[in-house]
Amino acid sequence: SQELEQSPQSLIVQEGKNLTINCTSSKTLYGLYWYKQKYGEGLIFLMMLQKGGEEKSHEKITAKLDEKKQQSSLHITASQPSHAGIYLCGADAPVYNQGGKLIFGQGTELSVKP
Amino acid sequence: DVKVTQSSRYLVKRTGEKVFLECVQDMDHENMFWYRQDPGLGLRLIYFSYDVKMKEKGDIPEGYSVSREKKERFSLILESASTNQTSMYLCASSLTTGTGYYNEQFFGPGTRLTVL
């Protein structure tokens, strides 16, 4: 079965610093989703990547899917306290996926020190 | 604005009680999901449903059941709550798609359940 591993598991950065979170899959990724979760709340969709080499940006957050489609990175530029939370990657199952199941990584907890 | 709502944000129950967690979506989505989230374990799928009255087990269905009598509503039932079911429960929904299509899931705010 497919597994997603995120690194690091937790991260503390000074406000204004850049950071990167990685999501590595044990199998080829057909669709990779990044979500953000504020503490004690539901997940908010950030962006979705499908094609190898694809890169998308939303405000100061950029996500990329590598050419081999087995790893994605999420990069935050000039971090702010509002970026704090848990970031999760999710992936489509590699075979026909009735019901649209996603597999999730364990999450990366980001703290931003003012 | 798309919306997934869950019946309670916080719930405290006693061991052995029957617990109902309700989830409603207003997006006419075919698929609905129940996850639990625990520190260090990420999101784990309990059950999902791809149509009314249809249900499929996820990765950790033991101790849970579900009901989907209407398209917009998906209920998670803990038949006899136990302390190891203390967790954050998240509901999500998505449109039906095939391989290689967009499967974005929309999540509710979560229910933090404590079983004493």
Side-chain angles (χ1 to χ4, degrees):
Chain A
S1 62
Q2 185 173 19
E3 292 183 354
L4 292 179
E5 187 169 329
Q6 287 185 236
S7 62
Q9 290 190 12
S10 64
L11 195 53
I12 302 173
V13 299
Q14 200 70 39
E15 184 176 356
K17 296 293 186 185
N18 302 337
L19 64 106
T20 300
I21 298 168
N22 293 305
C23 176
T24 303
S25 173
S26 58
K27 297 186 179 181
T28 300
L29 292 162
Y30 289 86
L32 188 286
Y33 306 80
W34 282 102
Y35 286 88
K36 179 189 174 185
Q37 183 182 31
K38 291 186 178 179
Y39 299 106
E41 297 184 10
L43 277 65
I44 299 168
F45 173 73
L46 294 175
M47 57 194 89
M48 181 260 189
L49 305 163
Q50 274 190 308
K51 300 174 184 175
E54 186 175 10
E55 185 172 308
K56 287 186 178 178
S57 294
H58 174 69
E59 297 178 345
K60 292 186 178 179
I61 301 176
T62 301
K64 186 173 180 180
L65 183 61
D66 76 352
E67 291 288 346
K68 293 184 179 179
K69 295 176 66 175
Q70 283 202 258
Q71 185 175 55
S72 177
S73 58
L74 185 85
H75 184 77
I76 299 177
T77 304
S79 58
Q80 299 169 358
S82 61
H83 288 127
I86 300 171
Y87 290 82
L88 295 101
C89 60
D92 286 325
V95 295
Y96 178 67
N97 188 5
Q98 187 173 36
K101 283 199 304 181
L102 297 180
I103 302 159
F104 286 92
Q106 76 274 37
T108 295
E109 187 171 356
L110 171 64
S111 299
V112 180
K113 284 185 165 183
Chain B
D1 203 13
V2 297
K3 213 167 182 183
V4 179
T5 56
Q6 294 184 228
S7 50
S8 306
R9 290 298 304 272
Y10 300 93
L11 208 53
V12 179
K13 295 291 181 181
R14 297 212 172 268
T15 302
E17 279 193 79
K18 191 168 185 175
V19 181
F20 292 87
L21 301 182
E22 303 283 341
C23 176
V24 177
Q25 50 95 4
D26 64 359
M27 298 166 281
D28 203 34
H29 284 173
E30 290 84 0
N31 311 314
M32 296 187 75
F33 308 83
W34 274 108
Y35 297 89
R36 65 176 282 177
Q37 184 178 29
D38 301 286
L41 297 176
L43 261 67
R44 292 182 291 168
L45 182 64
I46 305 171
Y47 267 98
F48 69 103
S49 168
Y50 53 88
D51 202 351
V52 175
K53 298 191 186 293
M54 303 303 289
K55 57 186 179 185
E56 292 281 344
K57 292 180 180 179
D59 300 317
I60 50 163
E62 297 78 19
Y64 303 93
S65 62
V66 290
S67 172
R68 190 153 181 217
E69 296 297 317
K70 293 185 177 180
K71 191 175 185 180
E72 66 271 17
R73 188 179 297 270
F74 193 34
S75 303
L76 180 70
I77 303 153
L78 286 67
E79 294 290 342
S80 178
S82 63
T83 54
N84 62 14
Q85 292 178 311
T86 291
S87 186
M88 173 70 135
Y89 289 87
L90 291 161
C91 174
S93 72
S94 71
L95 280 171
T96 293
T97 60
T99 300
Y101 285 83
Y102 195 48
N103 275 332
E104 176 192 350
Q105 292 185 10
F106 294 86
F107 283 81
T111 296
R112 184 163 293 282
L113 172 67
T114 302
V115 182
L116 302 174

